[in-house]
Amino acid sequence: LMLKKQGFSVILLIIILAVLVGGSYAVWQKQLGSEASKSGSEASKLGSEGVESWKTYKNERYGFEFKYPSQKILKESGNIVSIRNTGEPPDIFNVMVEMFEGTASEAFVRDANIYSKERPYHPVTNEGKITVDGTEGIKTQFCGSMDCYQTIYITHNHSLYKIYVDKQDQILSTFKFTK
């Protein structure tokens, strides 16, 4: 009788473990699905009107242009151009241009050193090479206390272009150098 109770207890334990593991897996899959649909809906919000109907921003001084959704807000301030949402988070795409005699790699190392001194607990990583309008650059990732964002470093005609991207690769895909 004792042996039967132990056998029953083992079977019951296995069933409980199977239910817990199966339930955890189902919850995990549901979370993955909701994150995928959320990012899909963000992309569809951005591109709902189609890139062809987007506005074109052209900067004669720094020699570049890009398209952006007409419902977004464009803001210029000195050597920085930002595309903004009307709500939170505000910035979704930034282009910063500065005069620079060097390579994109050198600019990244310079900025990473500054950033790591200011925020030693937030990593800065080089994610590899990227090509934008035929010009090779570096794709990096900077992580803060709340979020991570990507920065593209490209040097072109003695200027350093730092393009801050927040999952808006559709805008980046329209970026072109005009000189």
Side-chain angles (χ1 to χ4, degrees), residues 57 59 61-62 64 66 74-84 91 93-98 162-164:
Y57 169 80
N59 188 305
R61 181 176 180 193
Y62 295 113
F64 68 91
F66 59 83
L74 183 123
K75 182 180 177 195
E76 292 179 278
S77 178
N79 64 336
I80 300 173
V81 179
S82 301
I83 302 297
R84 306 185 74 119
D91 291 349
F93 185 83
N94 288 307
V95 178
M96 179 195 287
V97 182
E98 64 181 73
K162 289 194 277 191
I163 304 171
Y164 301 90

Side-chain angles (χ1 to χ4, degrees), residues 130-137 152 154 163 172-173 175-177:
I130 186 169
T131 301
V132 176
D133 192 33
T135 303
E136 190 174 277
I152 312 298
I154 298 174
I163 304 171
L172 182 62
S173 71
F175 186 95
K176 293 184 177 26
F177 293 105

Side-chain angles (χ1 to χ4, degrees), residues 125-168:
T125 57
N126 182 335
E127 301 288 308
K129 294 180 180 176
I130 186 169
T131 301
V132 176
D133 192 33
T135 303
E136 190 174 277
I138 296 173
K139 186 179 197 177
T140 66
Q141 182 165 295
F142 290 78
C143 291
S145 57
M146 299 292 286
D147 203 3
C148 292
Y149 60 93
Q150 293 178 339
T151 303
I152 312 298
Y153 285 80
I154 298 174
T155 52
H156 182 78
N157 288 342
H158 306 290
S159 293
L160 172 65
Y161 295 78
K162 289 194 277 191
I163 304 171
Y164 301 90
V165 182
D166 181 21
K167 303 177 191 118
Q168 308 298 334

Side-chain angles (χ1 to χ4, degrees), residues 5-137:
K5 281 187 178 180
Q6 281 182 333
F8 179 73
S9 295
V10 169
I11 291 172
L12 186 60
L13 183 62
I14 290 172
I15 291 171
I16 290 171
L17 283 173
V19 168
L20 287 173
V21 168
S24 297
Y25 180 77
V27 167
W28 178 65
Q29 286 295 316
K30 186 175 180 179
Q31 285 177 339
L32 282 178
S34 70
E35 286 176 18
S37 68
K38 188 191 320 178
S39 66
S41 68
E42 285 173 8
S44 67
K45 274 190 242 170
L46 181 64
S48 62
E49 59 186 89
V51 174
E52 304 80 31
S53 63
W54 286 5
K55 293 180 181 178
T56 299
Y57 169 80
K58 189 169 188 170
N59 188 305
E60 298 289 339
R61 181 176 180 193
Y62 295 113
F64 68 91
E65 69 179 34
F66 59 83
K67 292 184 172 225
Y68 65 99
S70 57
Q71 75 272 19
K72 304 297 181 191
I73 300 166
L74 183 123
K75 182 180 177 195
E76 292 179 278
S77 178
N79 64 336
I80 300 173
V81 179
S82 301
I83 302 297
R84 306 185 74 119
N85 285 318
T86 52
E88 293 291 324
D91 291 349
I92 61 169
F93 185 83
N94 288 307
V95 178
M96 179 195 287
V97 182
E98 64 181 73
M99 297 306 293
F100 188 75
E101 294 291 333
T103 66
S105 295
E106 291 166 342
F108 166 68
V109 168
R110 176 199 68 187
D111 287 359
N113 286 334
I114 293 168
Y115 188 84
S116 64
K117 286 176 186 165
E118 292 173 358
R119 298 174 182 93
Y121 301 106
H122 303 294
V124 179
T125 57
N126 182 335
E127 301 288 308
K129 294 180 180 176
I130 186 169
T131 301
V132 176
D133 192 33
T135 303
E136 190 174 277

